[in-house]
Amino acid sequence: TLDHVIPLTRGGDNDPSNFQLLCLSCNSKKNNWTMAEWLTATRARLAAALRAHSATLASLADSLDSP
């Protein structure tokens, strides 16, 4: 889908330099955020999920090592 890098409601315009292609899912999730805000938030969510997953795997590995 066609997306505005800086949303119209945030001062963006319809100049082609403010357009980008995003899949429908990403465009919906980005919503009214700037691209920079969305990427920062997405990276933070992914990092938190990876940390949680790593802790779960470490705990499981510890329990398998115990007699």
Side-chain angles (χ1 to χ4, degrees):
T1 59
L2 188 62
D3 177 62
H4 292 87
V5 177
I6 301 173
L8 296 175
T9 58
R10 304 276 302 273
D13 57 27
N14 283 317
D15 186 83
S17 65
N18 192 38
F19 293 154
Q20 64 184 347
L21 294 177
L22 292 180
C23 71
L24 182 58
S25 175
C26 288
N27 195 350
S28 296
K29 291 174 186 171
K30 180 179 168 278
N31 195 14
N32 197 36
W33 289 2
T34 66
M35 194 63 192
E37 291 168 339
W38 182 71
L39 287 172
T40 299
T42 299
R43 286 183 187 124
R45 281 192 306 275
L46 287 173
L50 287 172
R51 282 191 300 274
H53 185 65
S54 294
T56 300
L57 288 177
S59 176
L60 178 59
D62 288 344
S63 68
L64 292 174
D65 289 338
S66 300

